[in-house]
Amino acid sequence: MFLWGTATASYQIEGAVAEDGRGRSVWDTFAHEPGKVKDGHTGDVACDHYHRWSEDVTLMAALGVNSYRFSISWPRILPSGHGAVNEAGLGFYDRLVDGLCAAGIVPAATLFHWDLPQALEDEGGWLNRDTASRMAEYAGIVAARLADRVPIWITLNEPFIHMVFGYALGTHAPGRTMFLDALPAAHHQLLGHGLAAQALRAHGAGQVLVTNNCTPVWAASGAEEDLRAAEAYDVLHNRLFNDPVLLGRYPDLSAFGLDAMPALRDGDLAAIAQPLDGLGINYYNPTRVRAPGDPGILPFEDAGVTGHPTTAFGWPVVPDGLRELLTGLKARYGEALPPVYVTENGCSQADEPGPDGVVDDQGRIAFLDGHIAAVAAAMAEGVDVRGYFVWSLLDNFEWAEGYNQRFGLVHVDYATQRRTPKASYHWLRERIAARATP
Ligand code: BGC
């Protein structure tokens, strides 16, 4: 069965940050620091999904999706990072999973979508190798409780983005500005993935995936130095995260002057390269780079993708980039590429209801239509794609942008928490009903 789904993440939708024994996450801390998130927004209430999850499951059932990718809030389960398990936190996901199963929706749970317990950040966060072991403990606890009903598990969400925004540039929690010294956060997340995958399987998990945010990389010109810059960016963004999980080795970062990885220990790569049941891919847009004007610390600079429509975020809309990405993964990894799930794809728009109450998001319909066609094209070219999840079910807390970027199939009025399915929701319902595959 091809999985048609929607995706969300705990901190972006749940709210209820101080309820039922939940501990603080790095995002609670960061969002409450003045100036970190646009307009001072926080995830304190978000979409109030913690209380309204049943309404949200009903919305998904009416949409006709057969899967839902959500993330588990680590600090709801282990408020202080280790030790005592918060039963009420497990209880919330228990109810959600039961509700999904009753609605015929396959749960796909992400373990880590960026909301690390603050207590673990206080011990070094992902710069501390021990966090990988803490992740395995957490994975075992949630799988022991939920794996009887959750068939699909995703260990990490976009370790590249978390490393770059969270540790290198500091625009996301935990807000560290370490530039290339952030590279240990890549290795430790990947180790966390591998150890968590083992723990998940030991506690009955069926399918284990990791989700990487991938981008086709375009050189700004055919000049040797631009081609070299594109190769360097591809290594850092794509291969640093795909090679170790699929091939059991890291690409050669030092060839590009990017050599701040921590020393590997025996067994690390074997742990990271656990056989996967699928690779999750999040795709938003391609990236075009050129050689740096000034020799700085990075061997590339952004050249911008022009000549395409853009989203409210200003991101270029390039549906064929998804076909290029998927076929490129197949060409690069061949037999080592497991089945692929597009675990996120979507766009932000300035959506508001019109006088008739309708949210007429034609741009999102065109976006989804084009990207679903790109998945179909990749499948026709031999890529084994098993699922497509729209980011996102609901408008939600878009990290450093607060509530200013709307990605939902369903509009959320944050003052009232009223949910209004947009035109794209109705379009997708018909699209899914008409065809079982892209
Ligand atoms: C993340 C989501 C985010 C989306 C849009 C992805 O990088 O996984 O949490 O909301 O992109 O920015």
Side-chain angles (χ1 to χ4, degrees):
M1 175 175 77
F2 188 86
L3 297 183
W4 290 106
T6 61
T8 63
S10 45
Y11 189 73
Q12 295 182 271
I13 65 166
E14 285 180 2
V17 292
E19 261 174 78
D20 293 341
R22 176 186 179 278
R24 258 186 36 243
S25 78
V26 291
W27 267 97
D28 297 297
T29 308
F30 186 79
H32 279 275
E33 270 174 48
K36 300 294 188 191
V37 175
K38 200 177 257 181
D39 299 330
H41 292 166
T42 73
D44 288 1
V45 177
C47 307
D48 196 31
H49 172 79
Y50 191 76
H51 301 113
R52 295 169 196 262
W53 63 268
S54 169
E55 179 184 352
D56 295 335
V57 171
T58 302
L59 279 165
M60 284 186 269
L63 174 59
V65 288
N66 56 21
S67 189
Y68 173 48
R69 173 178 178 239
F70 61 97
S71 82
I72 296 174
S73 162
W74 189 339
R76 266 194 212 289
I77 310 300
L78 288 154
S80 50
H82 14 163
V85 176
N86 179 31
E87 171 56 35
L90 282 172
F92 169 68
Y93 296 104
D94 226 3
R95 293 192 295 280
L96 173 65
V97 165
D98 280 344
L100 291 166
C101 292
I105 298 171
V106 175
T110 304
L111 290 177
F112 179 61
H113 201 127
W114 307 349
D115 46 355
L116 192 75
Q118 180 62 44
L120 293 184
E121 176 60 25
D122 295 343
E123 295 168 18
W126 288 110
L127 300 170
N128 179 358
R129 191 183 157 92
D130 281 349
T131 299
S133 306
R134 301 287 84 74
M135 182 169 171
E137 286 166 14
Y138 157 58
I141 292 163
V142 289
R145 182 65 172 261
L146 302 172
D148 57 338
R149 286 151 293 150
V150 176
I152 301 174
W153 292 84
I154 298 165
T155 53
L156 304 170
N157 177 72
E158 303 189 351
F160 170 77
I161 298 291
H162 189 54
M163 173 189 78
V164 172
F165 291 172
Y167 287 85
L169 304 177
T171 52
H172 280 186
R176 301 204 192 205
T177 50
M178 306 175 69
F179 303 102
L180 284 178
D181 290 338
L183 278 165
H187 180 60
H188 296 147
Q189 285 185 88
L190 287 164
L191 186 60
H193 152 74
L195 299 179
Q198 290 171 336
L200 287 168
R201 290 205 171 104
H203 290 87
Q207 298 188 49
V208 178
L209 283 62
V210 63
T211 279
N212 284 330
N213 156 290
C214 293
T215 182
V217 183
W218 299 344
S221 82
E224 189 55 43
E225 57 272 26
D226 287 342
L227 293 172
R228 180 89 181 143
E231 202 186 333
Y233 189 75
D234 184 39
V235 161
L236 189 64
H237 189 133
N238 297 314
R239 290 185 50 201
L240 177 59
F241 298 90
N242 287 330
D243 284 15
V245 297
L246 299 179
L247 305 176
R249 58 173 183 261
Y250 279 112
D252 183 7
L253 292 176
S254 61
F256 303 98
L258 305 166
D259 47 6
M261 284 294 272
L264 305 189
R265 297 195 194 161
D266 279 353
D268 281 8
L269 286 170
I272 292 171
Q274 295 302 303
L276 286 179
D277 301 293
L279 179 68
I281 292 295
N282 292 354
Y283 170 73
Y284 287 92
N285 50 255
T287 309
R288 191 165 155 265
V289 298
R290 62 182 164 234
D294 292 322
I297 50 170
L298 292 173
F300 49 76
E301 71 182 24
D302 185 31
V305 172
T306 52
H308 294 269
T310 53
T311 70
F313 236 134
W315 299 351
V317 178
V318 188
D320 192 57
L322 179 52
R323 185 201 57 78
E324 182 184 333
L325 175 66
L326 294 169
T327 55
L329 284 167
K330 177 83 189 161
R332 175 171 285 165
Y333 296 106
E335 292 303 308
L337 183 69
V340 175
Y341 294 78
V342 178
T343 41
E344 281 182 35
N345 178 235
C347 62
S348 63
Q349 291 199 164
D351 301 314
E352 287 304 334
D356 53 359
V358 171
V359 186
D360 194 19
D361 58 339
Q362 292 299 321
R364 181 169 292 103
I365 292 174
F367 183 100
L368 296 176
D369 194 30
H371 287 78
I372 291 169
V375 172
M379 291 170 78
E381 289 182 48
V383 187
D384 184 5
V385 185
R386 304 270 178 101
Y388 176 84
F389 293 74
V390 176
W391 184 270
S392 180
L393 173 67
L394 305 167
D395 292 340
N396 60 46
F397 177 79
E398 178 50 35
W399 308 116
E401 294 292 313
Y403 297 97
N404 294 299
Q405 297 288 341
R406 294 180 176 273
F407 276 90
L409 294 164
V410 175
H411 178 273
V412 177
D413 176 345
Y414 295 107
T416 61
Q417 291 295 342
R418 188 187 148 92
R419 274 96 160 118
T420 305
K422 303 178 189 177
S424 59
Y425 171 101
H426 299 294
W427 176 87
L428 186 63
R429 175 167 41 72
E430 284 170 21
R431 183 70 174 72
I432 293 172
R435 294 190 51 187
T437 62

